[in-house]
Amino acid sequence: MLRLILVGGFVILFLIFTIPVMLAEYIIGKFNPRLKSTSSLAIVNWAFRVIRVLAGATVDYVGLENVPSDTPVLYVGNHRSYFDIVLTYPKVARPTGYIAKKNMAKVPLLSTWMRNLHCLFLDRNDIKAGMKTILKAIDYVQSGISICIFPEGTRGKAEGELLPFHEASFKIAAKSGCPIVPITIVNSAGIWENHLPFIKKAHVVIEYGKPVFINELPKEQQKQLAPYFQSLIKQTHAKISI
């Protein structure tokens, strides 16, 4: 229970005490959007590192050298925990927007930081609105911002058992031409979801695969990107031992 109190307390205090910082970031963004993007990234990365320490999570990051630093990418990964974002975000090589559920846009203060970080809010029950979000993500990539999406659409219920990937997720790379970097996350649910409401120490492995360019895949695989990447991540998950 102590870890839950520490993490929860830190998040609340961070959101409250950074209200003046949000105002400063807003003003900076009016004159220098790139500086705002960089400074917001640094601030939130620091906060996420603190949360990881307070939660007692240890993480092995494998394959970070596979992530291009000179071009935006589309990260796609399996999803088991809210901590997936906390653990992966501090390792992004450039400003990166995560695609989140629409209801996250209603969370005061948190949603402001998410918007500062180019996060997009997806309504999966509204096809038209969902496509607008995907088109916005494509615009972001074309302007140099990476995007991270969890194609399952929600958190999986069992370790290693992936829900079907949504094909629309891959339109971001197909339309922008950016490489896709698969992320395999193992045991992130061991921090919290496996024993709600308690936060416990856990060892997590996050492996970054080599970037994949859609136009370099066989024609048949280009037509079925969702099952291709789901299989790739599932195979990687199966070979990782904790």
Side-chain angles (χ1 to χ4, degrees):
M1 184 59 73
L2 177 60
R3 293 187 185 279
L4 176 64
I5 295 172
L6 289 174
V7 171
F10 174 79
V11 171
I12 293 171
L13 290 175
F14 173 82
L15 293 175
I16 293 174
F17 283 103
T18 57
I19 291 176
V21 179
M22 292 180 192
L23 178 60
E25 291 287 272
Y26 174 79
I27 296 172
I28 291 171
K30 290 295 183 181
F31 300 96
N32 192 333
R34 180 167 293 187
L35 176 59
K36 174 188 176 182
S37 180
T38 302
S39 58
S40 292
L41 175 67
I43 293 167
V44 173
N45 276 348
W46 170 80
F48 282 167
R49 287 193 292 269
V50 172
I51 290 172
R52 185 185 69 189
V53 171
L54 293 177
T58 58
V59 187
D60 289 340
Y61 293 98
V62 181
L64 282 171
E65 69 278 3
N66 291 325
V67 182
S69 59
D70 58 347
T71 185
V73 305
L74 174 66
Y75 297 98
V76 296
N78 60 307
H79 193 24
R80 284 278 286 121
S81 171
Y82 284 112
F83 276 87
D84 293 339
I85 296 94
V86 173
L87 301 180
T88 57
Y89 204 89
K91 295 299 180 180
V92 298
R94 61 193 301 117
T96 302
Y98 279 57
I99 295 185
K101 292 182 179 180
K102 182 183 178 181
N103 56 6
M104 295 297 293
K106 299 177 182 179
V107 182
L109 303 180
L110 176 62
S111 59
T112 301
W113 275 114
M114 293 177 72
R115 290 188 176 93
N116 284 352
L117 297 170
H118 313 288
C119 291
L120 296 170
F121 303 97
L122 180 64
D123 185 350
R124 296 190 182 276
N125 297 317
D126 186 331
I127 296 177
K128 186 176 181 179
M131 285 309 302
K132 285 183 178 179
T133 302
I134 296 299
L135 291 173
K136 184 64 175 177
I138 294 169
D139 288 342
Y140 276 178
V141 172
Q142 291 175 336
S143 68
I145 299 167
S146 293
I147 293 292
C148 180
I149 190 169
F150 299 109
E152 292 170 279
T154 188
R155 287 174 289 124
K157 301 301 181 184
E159 190 69 41
E161 294 183 10
L162 277 62
L163 300 172
F165 281 16
H166 294 278
E167 196 71 44
S169 305
F170 299 90
K171 292 184 181 296
I172 300 168
K175 297 295 184 181
S176 67
C178 75
I180 300 174
V181 175
I183 305 177
T184 305
I185 305 171
V186 180
N187 198 42
S188 58
I191 302 173
W192 190 37
E193 281 78 4
N194 285 351
H195 34 69
L196 291 171
F198 304 105
I199 291 177
K200 296 184 178 181
K201 288 184 177 181
H203 178 212
V204 181
V205 176
I206 301 177
E207 181 165 335
Y208 296 78
K210 293 182 178 180
V212 177
F213 288 88
I214 293 176
N215 60 4
E216 294 178 358
L217 293 173
K219 292 294 184 181
E220 287 304 311
Q221 287 181 340
Q222 291 184 32
K223 298 176 183 177
Q224 300 183 33
L225 294 172
Y228 172 76
F229 280 96
Q230 182 187 30
S231 176
L232 185 63
I233 291 173
K234 192 168 186 176
Q235 289 174 19
T236 303
H237 192 288
K239 73 179 181 66
I240 296 175
S241 58
I242 295 292

